[in-house]
């Protein structure tokens, strides 16, 4: 046979070589609560809630599946959880233990591939394209990872396997706990059409409510709406949503994400002028930052308050101290001081944010805290 290749057939060959990706998403089941049940056998099979105490206006970090049957879920006020499930066992979080387990599971992931992107303590994406021929083989790797997690930690994980991140994550959630779900390219369209909008990546309560008001319930509706309309309504994010609904997501698994800061911010439903109202919001934000810092096992030297006025003008004020900021309790007096320098009761605030940067590793933090009284201020600087 005559084996000449013209430009076209070379192109065809190249396309044939371009493999479909194989992405895994692994997520442990009821992470904090499962660890507590593992370490306290007397709590197994019982409704366990990890988080703040109901007596001190705490919130639920997570609940065991036994407690979820009563409607208890993450971020719910603990008092509500107690009302829904009076027999629940409330336990405080033990972050050091959760971090140690996290390191164990991340090490298991990294044995399979260097392309591991952790999303939180108990969750990561893995790109195993290079190791497999198809998603069935990728599912075998996922099964092996689940087995190793069980053998080494006595915990269960759920796995999602697909050709992109978005669908892998959806898949891992589909049959929790202890699930393993593959969504192939052939299955994706039907799966996404039936998927409720809340499950789409990046759709929070506000976007979901807006979509539902427009009669958009699922992926099929999103697709029908078309890219242009979604862009008009939600900007860039709307365009992204359209592509997800069409099962297109080519975001790579990014293993190295050097973190520069930990922050939380909120755009207020209505602009506010009242300082104590702002302080209450800062308290919530500081608690969220505290939780994230605790999950990552770090602190940060610099604390920044971010304010956007109703005029959209953005201002930040920052303060630093050697021993770092780790808890909301440490952040709040400083945030109040920074806020009082900004707010005059006349201008209204549209957005508030709390950011901790200049991050310190656990070792650096221990070292810094050994020598400095926590209440001592190092320096204070102001950024325009
Ligand atoms: N977490 C928290 N506050 C939240 C959400 C989560 O403190 N609002 C913590 C507790 C969880 C852990 O992070 O155990 C992992 O979060 P997941 O969303 O993966 O939830 P779980 O692992 O608890 O449950 P699931 O089986 O649904 O993954
Ligand atoms: Mg989880």
């Amino acid at each position: 046979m005559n084996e000449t290749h013209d430009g076209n057939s070379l192109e065809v060959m190249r396309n044939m070589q371009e493999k479909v990706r194989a992405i895994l998403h692994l997520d442990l089941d009821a992470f904090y609560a499962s660890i507590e049940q593992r370490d306290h056998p007397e709590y197994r099979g019982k409704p366990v809630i990890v988080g703040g105490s109901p007596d001190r206006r705490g919130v639920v970090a997570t609940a065991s599946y036994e407690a979820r049957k009563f409607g208890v879920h993450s971020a719910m006020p603990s008092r509500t959880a107690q009302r829904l499930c009076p027999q629940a066992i409330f336990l405080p979080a033990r972050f050091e233990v959760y971090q140690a387990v996290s390191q164990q599971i991340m090490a298991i992931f990294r044995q399979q591939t260097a392309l591991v992107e952790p999303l939180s303590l108990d969750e990561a994406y893995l790109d195993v394209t290079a190791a497999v021929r198809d998603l069935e083989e990728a599912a075998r790797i996922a099964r092996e990872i689940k087995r190793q997690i069980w053998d080494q930690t006595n915990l269960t994980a759920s796995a999602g396997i697909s050709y992109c991140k978005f669908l892998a994550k959806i898949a891992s959630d589909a049959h929790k706990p202890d699930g393993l779900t593959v969504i192939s390219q052939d299955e994706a369209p039907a799966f996404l059409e039936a998927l409720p909008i809340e499950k789409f990546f990046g759709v929070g309560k506000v976007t979901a409510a807006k979509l539902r008001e427009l009669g958009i319930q699922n992926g099929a509706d999103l697709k029908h709406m078309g890219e242009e309309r979604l862009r008009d309504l939600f900007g860039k994010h709307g365009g992204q949503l359209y592509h997800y609904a069409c099962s297109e997501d080519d975001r790579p698994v990014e293993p190295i994400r050097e973190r520069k800061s930990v922050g939380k911010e909120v755009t207020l439903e209505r602009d506010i002028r009242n300082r104590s109202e702002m302080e209450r919001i800062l308290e919530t934000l500081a608690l969220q930052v505290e939780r994230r810092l605790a999950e990552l096992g770090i602190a940060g030297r610099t604390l920044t308050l971010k304010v956007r006025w109703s005029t959209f003008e953005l201002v930040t004020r920052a303060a630093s101290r050697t021993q770092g900021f780790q808890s909301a309790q440490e952040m709040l007096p400083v945030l109040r001081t920074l806020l009082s320098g900004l707010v005059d009761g006349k201008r209204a605030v549209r957005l508030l944010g709390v950011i901790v940067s200049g991050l310190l590793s656990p070792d650096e933090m221990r070292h810094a805290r050994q020598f400095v009284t926590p209440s001592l201020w190092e320096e204070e600087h102001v950024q325009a």
Side-chain angles (χ1 to χ4, degrees), residues 318-379:
S320 302
R321 54 180 208 167
T322 308
Q323 72 274 30
F325 294 93
Q326 192 176 27
S327 67
Q329 210 185 345
E330 290 166 332
M331 294 176 221
L332 279 168
V334 182
L335 289 170
R336 285 193 199 105
T337 310
L338 295 173
L339 184 71
S340 67
L342 282 174
V343 173
D344 51 15
K346 290 190 199 108
R347 284 185 292 182
V349 167
R350 175 185 162 79
L351 168 148
L352 284 169
V354 173
I355 303 150
V356 170
S357 59
L359 299 178
L360 301 163
S361 69
D363 278 347
E364 288 170 322
M365 198 164 73
R366 267 192 291 282
H367 193 256
R369 293 199 169 212
Q370 230 171 344
F371 299 107
V372 193
T373 342
S375 61
L376 249 187
W377 277 72
E378 243 288 294
E379 69 189 78

Side-chain angles (χ1 to χ4, degrees), residues 80-116:
T80 312
Q82 196 178 39
R83 208 181 54 231
L84 290 172
C85 183
Q87 69 274 44
I89 300 154
F90 280 86
L91 300 170
R94 294 185 298 150
F95 286 116
E96 315 76 36
V97 181
Y98 311 151
Q99 265 154 30
V101 176
S102 179
Q103 279 170 10
Q104 277 180 292
I105 60 168
M106 295 298 162
I108 294 172
F109 299 159
R110 291 199 177 96
Q111 279 172 1
Q112 297 291 344
T113 170
L115 294 177
V116 176

Side-chain angles (χ1 to χ4, degrees), residues 51-297:
S53 143
D55 311 326
R56 275 178 284 142
R57 302 215 280 152
V59 293
V60 173
T62 197
S64 69
Y65 278 77
E66 293 84 0
R68 290 185 197 193
K69 284 191 210 131
F70 294 85
V72 177
H73 58 75
S74 295
M76 167 184 277
S78 300
R79 199 170 280 173
T80 312
Q82 196 178 39
R83 208 181 54 231
L84 290 172
C85 183
Q87 69 274 44
I89 300 154
F90 280 86
L91 300 170
R94 294 185 298 150
F95 286 116
E96 315 76 36
V97 181
Y98 311 151
Q99 265 154 30
V101 176
S102 179
Q103 279 170 10
Q104 277 180 292
I105 60 168
M106 295 298 162
I108 294 172
F109 299 159
R110 291 199 177 96
Q111 279 172 1
Q112 297 291 344
T113 170
L115 294 177
V116 176
E117 179 180 334
L119 295 176
S120 71
L121 282 188
D122 79 327
E123 172 185 7
Y125 288 115
L126 282 70
D127 185 332
V128 296
T129 311
V132 300
R133 271 169 304 193
D134 53 32
L135 293 184
E136 277 313 308
E137 286 186 358
R140 274 166 51 189
I141 294 188
R143 232 169 256 126
E144 169 62 16
I145 291 173
K146 275 164 58 90
R147 192 186 61 75
Q148 286 186 5
I149 292 177
W150 176 256
D151 288 351
Q152 292 179 34
T153 71
N154 265 299
L155 297 167
T156 61
S158 294
I161 300 104
S162 194
Y163 59 92
C164 66
K165 279 175 153 183
F166 166 54
L167 282 165
K169 192 166 161 77
I170 299 274
S172 78
D173 201 38
H175 295 106
K176 254 181 175 300
D178 203 15
L180 186 141
T181 309
V182 179
I183 302 179
S184 68
Q185 274 187 307
D186 296 341
E187 292 159 337
F191 197 93
L192 285 170
E193 278 168 19
L195 194 70
I197 45 164
E198 288 81 6
K199 298 266 179 181
F200 277 83
F201 179 73
V203 175
K205 277 199 195 117
V206 178
T207 310
K210 207 164 158 187
L211 283 167
R212 288 223 180 256
E213 241 170 61
L214 294 163
I216 306 295
Q217 316 281 354
N218 53 32
D221 298 339
L222 276 177
K223 221 153 85 176
H224 286 144
M225 208 167 168
E227 183 170 2
E228 210 168 307
R229 182 92 199 283
L230 280 165
R231 262 185 205 283
D232 284 347
L233 282 167
F234 302 105
K236 197 173 134 204
H237 179 56
Q240 212 177 15
L241 259 180
Y242 177 77
H243 286 285
Y244 288 149
C246 297
S247 50
E248 295 161 17
D249 169 20
D250 52 13
R251 290 173 302 154
V253 172
E254 292 176 298
I256 308 143
R257 278 206 298 184
E258 208 186 327
R259 187 173 274 287
K260 297 267 193 302
S261 66
V262 172
K264 289 279 169 199
E265 60 180 50
V266 60
T267 299
L268 307 169
E269 277 169 20
R270 54 181 178 79
D271 300 346
I272 56 172
R273 284 189 176 75
N274 180 305
R275 172 120 61 99
S276 50
E277 213 173 323
M278 294 175 199
E279 286 180 356
R280 274 200 299 278
I281 293 162
L282 289 179
E283 208 174 306
T284 310
L285 292 170
L287 281 167
Q288 288 172 339
V289 173
E290 169 185 313
R291 181 170 81 74
R292 194 72 190 118
L293 288 169
E295 279 184 355
L296 298 163

